Amino acid sequence: MKQNVWLLGGAVAALSSCTQSEVLDVPESKKITFETFVEKNTRAVEDIVSPTTLTNFKVFGYCVPCEVGDTPNFTEGTKEEVFNGTETFEQDEDGKWGVTSNPKYWKTNYSYRFAAYSNGNGTHPNVAYDPKEDKLTISEYTVYDAIDAQTSGNEPKDLLAAIAGDKHSSDAGTAPNLQFRH
């Protein structure tokens, strides 16, 4: 009888240790969202921008397989496109920005690079991002100030740009910060 109690106790201990499940791929189930900050280093910008708040921006993003602590290699053959500058982002109740239709999710053991821009809460046709150089290029852009707008009829816009820096999927719980600058 004593031996049966010991066997029963061992069986219960073995079964209870197997009932715990561990989640190994948490980043894959985590939606990619962003935090934003718009730097205002001149008061003149407030006078020409309507609306004065950021309500829309476009993001370029790429990822590459990369272990934690390794240097990511964003050469031509290794990078995968995550965002292509056309997705529409909306702000959630927590103040984070994410894609509502066809959201993107963090992949385990990947490094990411993101860049974003807003052309007066609109788009611009000549914007490109090179993740290898971590460089956002905006070409063929004409700046109109408030005086030009009165004489030419062109609406002045506030061009904002941000580069988030490298982000690894192991830190997917923290949204990349897009610090927009004029």
Side-chain angles (χ1 to χ4, degrees):
M1 179 71 180
K2 203 174 198 182
Q3 185 179 10
N4 289 339
V5 171
W6 280 105
L7 288 174
L8 180 62
V12 169
L15 288 175
S16 66
S17 67
C18 295
T19 60
Q20 296 179 359
S21 62
E22 294 183 26
V23 179
L24 299 177
D25 291 333
V26 172
E28 287 186 19
S29 64
K30 192 90 169 132
K31 182 178 170 183
I32 297 175
T33 59
F34 298 93
E35 291 183 354
T36 60
F37 176 76
V38 179
E39 179 183 83
K40 288 190 178 187
N41 50 3
T42 70
R43 289 186 56 81
V45 170
E46 292 180 31
D47 296 334
I48 67 169
V49 178
S50 178
T52 58
T53 58
L54 182 67
T55 60
N56 190 359
F57 57 90
K58 300 298 179 185
V59 174
F60 296 91
Y62 292 89
C63 66
V64 293
C66 185
E67 296 293 327
V68 176
D70 289 349
T71 303
N73 180 7
F74 282 91
T75 57
E76 203 55 42
T78 61
K79 67 182 187 241
E80 294 177 34
E81 185 178 77
V82 180
F83 298 112
N84 64 13
T86 62
E87 294 86 354
T88 300
F89 286 78
E90 292 183 8
Q91 202 168 19
D92 65 15
E93 61 277 353
D94 296 329
K96 293 190 172 44
W97 294 83
V99 175
T100 53
S101 62
N102 194 20
K104 307 298 182 181
Y105 296 88
W106 295 98
K107 291 179 163 184
T108 302
N109 292 325
Y110 274 72
S111 278
Y112 290 77
R113 286 188 177 164
F114 302 104
Y117 80 97
S118 177
N119 183 26
N121 288 317
T123 62
H124 182 68
N126 299 311
V127 181
Y129 175 61
D130 178 0
K132 182 178 178 187
E133 300 294 323
D134 207 14
K135 181 179 176 182
L136 184 68
T137 303
I138 302 169
S139 60
E140 298 180 32
Y141 190 83
T142 303
V143 177
Y144 298 101
D145 66 14
I147 296 170
D148 289 338
Q150 291 173 357
T151 60
S152 68
N154 293 311
E155 181 184 342
K157 295 186 177 178
D158 190 10
L159 180 64
L160 302 171
I163 295 179
D166 290 353
K167 185 80 170 169
H168 196 272
S169 60
S170 63
D171 196 23
T174 307
N177 188 6
L178 295 172
Q179 185 171 351
F180 286 96
R181 296 173 192 233
H182 303 278

